[in-house]
Amino acid sequence: EPEVTQTPSHQVTQMGQEVILRCVPISNHLYFYWYRQILGQKVEFLVSFYNNEISEKSEIFDDQFSVERPDGSNFTLKIRSTKLEDSAMYFCASSAGHNSNQPQHFGDGTRLSIL
Amino acid sequence: GNSVTQMEGPVTLSEEAFLTINCTYTATGYPSLFWYVQYPGEGLQLLLKATKADDKGSNKGFEATYRKETTSFHLEKGSVQVSDSAVYFCASTGGYNKLIFGAGTRLAVHP
């Protein structure tokens, strides 16, 4: 069965540094998402992306965050200047459509640790 | 905005026990509802879904019924196995297509 793959599985970065989290969505999917889960807290929506544009973003997704689909297969989340509170598990998801009969499929996540 | 509340864990059961994990939602309109499961070291996997009132989602022996009158989507399984040990997340759609998750409930099943 096709999968969403995320790399790396664990990223350790110094505070203030830029970090790029990478995702390869399922190949025929058109909608892409990032979520994050701070340890012990809820999974929170960050951003959705369709047709090379952000469809929706949350309050968390401020100017420090950006997303990009640099080629036909990758979908990246960049954090420009990391803060301690960015430490979390980041999940990428993709879906074929935006109705509930085409649910979101999630990757295994990237654990981001900011020192 | 929409929100999802689910019972706190951990839930600890013996094998073959009956499982209920409660989930309630608040929403404007009529969201779709989901249960996702996260096994240790893995990502979120869709377990089941329901798209309208009175729909029942089912998969791998798990069931949940979309109850509009009580705004609930409780997860049930008649006989749990050790392999069901995981964290279970209730979620609803909100906005354009984002998912709104509950806090997650950890289930531990002992032999």
Side-chain angles (χ1 to χ4, degrees):
Chain A
E1 186 175 326
E3 292 182 339
V4 175
T5 56
Q6 291 186 241
T7 55
S9 56
H10 191 190
Q11 173 80 47
V12 182
T13 301
Q14 292 288 330
M15 186 172 61
Q17 295 297 305
E18 175 183 286
V19 67
I20 297 176
L21 308 183
R22 301 182 190 280
C23 170
V24 178
I26 294 173
S27 62
N28 63 343
H29 284 187
L30 301 175
Y31 295 79
F32 314 112
Y33 314 85
W34 283 100
Y35 293 81
R36 79 171 186 191
Q37 184 181 28
I38 295 172
L39 187 64
Q41 298 186 25
K42 290 186 179 187
V43 176
E44 302 171 290
F45 169 78
L46 292 178
V47 65
S48 59
F49 190 86
Y50 168 70
N51 199 26
N52 282 321
E53 289 185 344
I54 291 175
S55 310
E56 187 176 2
K57 59 183 181 179
S58 71
E59 296 168 351
I60 304 166
F61 195 89
D62 62 22
D63 292 344
Q64 293 298 312
F65 290 87
S66 63
V67 289
E68 192 178 28
R69 188 150 162 84
D71 52 42
S73 59
N74 289 282
F75 179 53
T76 61
L77 175 69
K78 181 194 289 186
I79 308 175
R80 219 159 272 121
S81 177
T82 50
K83 304 186 283 284
L84 292 175
E85 53 265 37
D86 293 328
S87 295
M89 181 74 90
Y90 288 80
F91 292 105
C92 174
S94 69
S95 65
H98 68 270
N99 64 61
S100 52
N101 287 322
Q102 295 164 308
Q104 296 177 30
H105 296 258
F106 284 77
D108 286 349
T110 293
R111 181 171 298 285
L112 177 62
S113 300
I114 307 300
L115 304 179
Chain B
N2 294 14
S3 67
V4 174
T5 303
Q6 60 183 106
M7 64 189 284
E8 287 189 25
V11 173
T12 303
L13 295 173
S14 298
E15 209 164 22
E16 298 183 5
F18 184 86
L19 168 72
T20 300
I21 300 178
N22 290 340
C23 171
T24 57
Y25 67 91
T26 59
T28 51
Y30 304 98
S32 295
L33 302 172
F34 305 84
W35 278 99
Y36 279 82
V37 59
Q38 185 178 33
Y39 298 103
E42 298 185 15
L44 298 164
Q45 298 176 26
L46 178 65
L47 181 60
L48 53 83
K49 65 180 173 74
T51 59
K52 59 183 188 298
D54 300 325
D55 267 3
K56 179 188 281 189
S58 61
N59 186 25
K60 299 181 183 179
F62 291 89
E63 293 183 339
T65 302
Y66 190 145
R67 301 277 188 210
K68 186 178 155 205
E69 62 276 11
T70 53
T71 62
S72 65
F73 192 56
H74 304 322
L75 182 69
E76 296 182 336
K77 186 174 186 184
S79 175
V80 293
Q81 305 301 311
V82 172
S83 56
D84 294 326
S85 299
V87 181
Y88 292 82
F89 292 91
C90 185
S92 79
T93 51
Y96 183 62
N97 196 29
K98 65 185 178 191
L99 290 175
I100 297 165
F101 286 89
T105 302
R106 183 175 300 280
L107 170 66
V109 180
H110 298 291

